[in-house]
Amino acid sequence: MLFRSSHGVFTRPVKTLSNQRRISDQHERLMNRWAFYSGVFFSALVIAFKLLLLVKGFYFTTWGFRYGNLLSVALYTLWIPITLALINRFHYRGGIPGREALKAGLGLVSVSIILISVYHYWEVQSVMFKTQALAYYDSSEYYRLLVQQQAQNPLRYKAADIPRIISEQKNGLSPFRAMTGRMIPFLLYGGVLSLLSSLGLKFFKNNLRF
């Protein structure tokens, strides 16, 4: 669109630096909002799933301990790239800078870590968790597992150490260990996912324009 100046000359409007900065700030606010809400929603799904396992008594079963964690990791693996792709599509029209995508991914990870860590702290202190944990460590199933692991790797520990290991597991139900033991891998994996997703969006930038 052309504008006529006071001298009768038609000129095109020039985007000032302040306007560009204002648009950039708007994009950043929207991006941060999406990352925050996505992190909250992801955390709510994970916490609801873990609560279901805990309430139903499946937390220390083979399915709950193994496949439940795998399901959470699979959801986490898909959640970050999908969130960044949606932010890229609806707020940047396929042209999100790699640094902004990485920032959004790390924001999502940070929100998720805080909320899920708070849940883990409460979970380990709950009566349901302690009851199920103590019952599992006293069970023949856990004893057979330790015997099997010792047979497969005799250098790991001796058969005579199994009662001591069971006692240590029962006495080591610490909220701090539960938080830090899961928070660090969660943070590292989320950081790698955010980096790979931002690089992917940058690489396929031309194909993701809408």
Side-chain angles (χ1 to χ4, degrees):
M1 182 182 295
L2 298 178
F3 291 90
R4 185 172 183 176
S5 66
S6 58
H7 300 287
V9 180
F10 289 92
T11 59
R12 292 184 180 274
V14 179
K15 290 184 177 180
T16 63
L17 182 61
S18 61
N19 289 335
Q20 293 177 354
R21 186 175 301 169
R22 178 175 54 82
I23 294 174
S24 177
D25 291 342
Q26 290 176 350
H27 281 304
E28 185 173 359
R29 284 195 298 270
L30 290 172
M31 177 190 71
N32 292 337
R33 192 178 304 169
W34 269 65
F36 175 79
Y37 288 136
S38 180
V40 171
F41 192 56
F42 170 78
S43 302
L45 286 178
V46 172
I47 291 172
F49 178 68
K50 288 182 174 294
L51 272 175
L52 179 64
L53 293 178
L54 185 63
V55 172
K56 294 296 184 180
F58 298 146
Y59 205 97
F60 289 92
T61 62
T62 302
W63 188 92
F65 188 77
R66 182 179 302 173
Y67 301 107
N69 288 332
L70 287 177
L71 182 61
S72 298
V73 172
L75 179 63
Y76 192 48
T77 304
L78 295 174
W79 198 273
I80 292 178
I82 290 176
T83 298
L84 297 183
L86 290 174
I87 293 174
N88 180 44
R89 175 175 180 176
F90 291 106
H91 296 301
Y92 286 90
R93 301 302 180 189
I96 186 173
R99 185 174 63 178
E100 297 300 317
L102 178 60
K103 187 188 300 184
L106 293 178
L108 189 160
V109 172
S110 300
V111 172
S112 302
I113 285 178
I114 293 173
L115 295 178
I116 295 177
S117 296
V118 170
Y119 168 75
H120 282 154
Y121 185 87
W122 169 85
E123 178 187 71
V124 176
Q125 290 185 319
S126 67
V127 176
M128 285 187 295
F129 182 88
K130 291 180 178 179
T131 302
Q132 294 180 36
L134 294 176
Y136 172 71
Y137 292 135
D138 284 332
S139 66
S140 58
E141 178 185 358
Y142 184 64
Y143 185 84
R144 288 195 302 269
L145 177 63
L146 293 178
V147 172
Q148 182 181 3
Q149 290 179 348
Q150 194 277 332
Q152 294 174 351
N153 188 4
L155 297 178
R156 188 175 181 181
Y157 53 84
K158 299 179 181 179
D161 295 330
I162 291 179
R164 176 182 58 82
I165 295 174
I166 294 175
S167 178
E168 289 177 351
Q169 291 292 335
K170 292 168 62 177
N171 296 327
L173 297 176
S174 168
F176 180 77
R177 287 179 56 186
M179 290 176 61
T180 56
R182 302 176 187 181
M183 182 172 61
I184 296 176
F186 193 83
L187 176 62
L188 293 176
Y189 187 59
V192 171
L193 277 178
S194 300
L195 178 60
L196 293 178
S197 300
S198 62
L199 292 176
L201 289 174
K202 183 178 180 180
F203 183 78
F204 295 106
K205 180 177 179 180
N206 295 331
N207 296 328
L208 291 175
R209 290 188 178 276
F210 294 92

